[in-house]
Amino acid sequence: MAKTKKRTSTAAKPVTRAKARSTSKDASSTRTKARRDTTVAPIVRFTPKQWADYLERQAQREMGISVAEFRRAYAAGELEDGDVAVDELVSVLLIGQNGNTASQNGNKAVA
Amino acid sequence: MAQSLARHLNRVLNQTVSDSHLSVSPVTGDGDGDTFKLERLVARENVPLQLRGTTARLSVRQLVVVKDGRCRTKSYVYRLQADESLKSWLMRWEYRRKPRVAGYPYGLAHMHIRATSPDGTPIDGHPVDRHHIPAPQMPLEEIIRYLIADRGVKSKTKDWGAILEESEKTFHD
């Protein structure tokens, strides 16, 4: 009886570890919690610099321009609202939300 | 509160169409309350959710504000993509509580479809995919239902209908 119990317990370990590894890819800041429960939503905080870098990367990746240039062009009505890349950047920059106007950034991520 | 909502949505996603999960990022507010962004982040980059049984992806970005113990959606973008790239988008559902700019002419809740007119020409001067097609405010559960019922995404369980129904009962405005 004791033997069976021991086998069960050692056999279970690799499965648990493999499961934990498969979830560790997302949001590393609360990796330990995510290993216990994949449905836990990790809180990811950005420093102001990380946030600014993130926005610049997004603008370059989706439109090939800087955040400042995007804001200027959007405020001037030079960009088509239904374009997926424009939509994406408006969403990322939170334009029209949280005090943001198209030409002005009124909010930051909480560090 | 926002984390509870994200956890709830993760549970629904992980029980049905995806093993990926949403993270929560705090964003400073404008007096409305505490604002949080729900999206999948990998190495601090927004990445669409993987879907079971297909190479298609679902990008989710939801902005919620917590006030008086309640979670309210300020905006969302749900985007079905053929793969990881933005350019491969197929359908988009978008909502925002406030217009982007003064005089914004489109419905605050609308969708875009990657479609063409029968002869491939623009309709009323715009490519069809640029049209802001009116749509009701959409819970994520309805997107999941569409993915399973119409788009060949495999659910983990046969009980997906009941899971989505139960979850929608708790859908916040």
Side-chain angles (χ1 to χ4, degrees):
Chain A
M1 194 64 178
K3 262 188 181 176
T4 314
K5 268 186 184 172
K6 197 177 177 182
R7 270 183 206 147
T8 310
S9 116
T10 46
K13 273 182 186 171
V15 176
T16 313
R17 283 180 189 154
K19 207 173 178 182
R21 272 198 299 274
S22 74
T23 62
S24 64
K25 210 173 147 191
D26 284 12
S28 54
S29 64
T30 51
R31 200 169 280 167
T32 313
K33 280 186 183 175
R35 277 179 183 163
R36 286 190 209 122
D37 181 353
T38 57
T39 65
V40 167
I43 295 181
V44 180
R45 297 175 193 276
F46 289 76
T47 65
K49 182 169 184 333
Q50 283 171 334
W51 182 250
D53 290 348
Y54 167 76
L55 297 181
E56 282 300 335
R57 275 199 308 277
Q58 293 283 317
Q60 288 295 341
R61 189 174 75 183
E62 308 306 349
M63 300 281 295
I65 58 178
S66 68
V67 168
E69 175 60 13
F70 177 82
R71 287 186 184 284
R72 188 207 61 73
Y74 189 77
E78 294 168 10
L79 303 174
E80 198 170 338
D81 193 83
D83 183 290
V84 67
V86 174
D87 254 348
E88 175 69 358
L89 284 180
V90 167
S91 163
V92 168
L93 295 169
L94 308 179
I95 290 176
Q97 301 183 73
N98 278 41
N100 282 313
T101 63
S103 57
Q104 213 176 8
N105 185 8
N107 73 276
K108 295 170 185 167
V110 175
Chain B
M1 185 63 76
Q3 200 177 17
S4 300
L5 172 64
R7 183 176 182 157
H8 172 76
L9 294 176
N10 281 341
R11 197 170 291 140
V12 173
L13 284 164
N14 293 173
Q15 284 176 338
T16 56
V17 295
S18 181
D19 293 320
S20 310
H21 62 266
L22 303 171
S23 302
V24 180
S25 305
V27 178
T28 56
D30 59 357
D32 282 349
D34 294 324
T35 305
F36 299 88
K37 198 158 52 147
L38 277 55
E39 61 190 336
R40 183 183 181 211
L41 289 172
V42 176
R44 296 184 190 278
E45 296 291 335
N46 175 286
V47 177
L49 299 163
Q50 295 174 329
L51 299 171
R52 289 169 50 84
T54 173
T55 55
R57 297 286 187 269
L58 180 69
S59 176
V60 173
R61 182 181 292 116
Q62 188 163 352
L63 205 66
V64 298
V65 61
V66 178
K67 194 178 181 187
D68 301 328
R70 291 186 66 211
C71 237
R72 301 182 83 196
T73 300
K74 290 183 91 170
S75 70
Y76 64 69
V77 177
Y78 305 137
R79 188 173 54 237
L80 178 62
Q81 302 176 180
D83 56 39
E84 293 246 337
S85 70
L86 179 68
K87 286 177 185 167
S88 74
W89 77 273
L90 302 167
M91 306 182 86
R92 290 141 57 194
W93 292 264
E94 299 172 356
Y95 165 77
R96 52 189 56 235
R97 196 172 283 273
K98 294 176 185 171
R100 294 174 169 183
V101 289
Y104 184 73
Y106 310 110
L108 295 180
H110 60 252
M111 65 181 299
H112 294 271
I113 301 177
R114 192 107 186 226
T116 56
S117 59
D119 61 359
T121 57
I123 294 179
D124 297 328
H126 292 284
V128 181
D129 64 339
R130 303 283 171 99
H131 288 216
H132 299 70
I133 303 166
Q137 190 180 347
M138 199 71 72
L140 183 59
E141 290 84 347
E142 285 304 309
I143 308 296
I144 295 172
R145 183 188 300 280
Y146 167 69
L147 293 176
I148 298 171
D150 275 314
R151 304 302 300 226
V153 176
K154 304 289 177 213
S155 174
K156 267 187 185 174
T157 167
K158 287 178 181 172
D159 299 331
W160 58 268
I163 291 168
L164 298 179
E165 221 166 274
E166 179 62 31
S167 176
E168 272 199 60
K169 284 182 192 168
T170 60
F171 179 67
H172 63 95
D173 72 343

